[in-house]
Amino acid sequence: MGQTDLTIDRAQVEDFLYEEAALLDAWKLDEWLALLTDDATYRVPSNDRPESDPRGTLFTIADDIARIRARVTRLKDRNAHAEFPPSRTRRLISNVRIVERNPLRVEANFVVYRYRRNEDVREFVGRYRFLLKVIDGKLRIAGREAILDAMELASLGAVSFIL
């Protein structure tokens, strides 16, 4: 018998988020996809309206599971010039908090350092919002939002990698 959402503690959530970050930093995108539910969403909302709904507001990214899978396929393609060779990234996650138990909603702060070819390092700072589910005793991502603190995104460059 596995754990339920109600018995998951912060340390378990932190370990899960650290593992997710490590997979993304290592470009183990298929393994990362395995952490998602079959109905997962991945969103990067507009930084001026992070609480809005993607059906009525412009989002930087508003992917359902089919688009997430297509994004991963593109990122792994050697002909995807935006990410070949892949960016080198380093994710730092802090202030992990369980903000709701049922459903299991988690927030955390992040800094993602991105190194791309001969460009200057880019720093993406913000907070993650996750909707997590326990499936077969393991945490899975049903919803993932990266809310950027930057008020002007053009200087950060394309968000062609998974933030």
Side-chain angles (χ1 to χ4, degrees):
M1 183 159 205
Q3 288 184 302
T4 67
D5 298 4
L6 298 175
T7 61
I8 297 294
D9 65 19
R10 185 188 45 76
Q12 291 168 299
V13 170
E14 279 182 335
D15 288 346
F16 179 76
L17 297 184
Y18 296 159
E19 178 63 22
E20 185 216 15
L23 291 173
L24 289 171
D25 285 343
W27 280 81
K28 293 182 176 181
L29 300 179
D30 291 322
E31 292 91 334
W32 176 75
L33 272 177
L35 299 180
L36 278 61
T37 63
D38 288 334
D39 61 349
T41 60
Y42 165 52
R43 296 178 177 162
V44 180
S46 167
N47 56 2
D48 64 335
R49 297 185 62 203
E51 303 301 326
S52 58
D53 185 322
R55 292 174 293 193
T57 305
L58 181 63
F59 267 52
T60 304
I61 296 170
D63 290 354
D64 61 12
I65 192 64
R67 290 182 57 113
I68 295 167
R69 290 178 179 137
R71 179 180 299 276
V72 166
T73 298
R74 278 192 315 275
L75 288 171
K76 294 183 335 181
D77 185 346
R78 294 178 65 89
N79 295 316
H81 300 291
E83 284 300 331
F84 189 82
S87 296
R88 289 181 294 140
T89 58
R90 187 65 55 213
R91 288 165 176 77
L92 305 177
I93 299 177
S94 68
N95 296 39
V96 175
R97 310 165 296 292
I98 295 174
V99 295
E100 189 176 342
R101 289 267 176 202
N102 193 15
L104 182 56
R105 295 190 186 279
V106 172
E107 293 187 2
N109 295 339
F110 70 83
V111 177
V112 178
Y113 295 97
R114 179 187 188 207
Y115 301 88
R116 178 89 185 119
R117 293 186 181 145
N118 295 323
E119 298 174 8
D120 291 335
V121 64
R122 305 287 169 97
E123 298 174 5
F124 297 82
V125 178
R127 69 184 161 106
Y128 287 130
R129 288 193 298 212
F130 287 93
L131 172 60
L132 301 178
K133 292 182 179 178
V134 177
I135 299 175
D136 296 329
K138 296 181 181 179
L139 284 170
R140 294 290 178 250
I141 299 168
R144 183 183 195 280
E145 288 186 311
I147 300 147
L148 294 166
D149 286 343
M151 291 310 292
E152 185 272 322
L153 298 181
S155 65
L156 294 177
V159 187
S160 53
F161 64 103
I162 294 170
L163 191 59

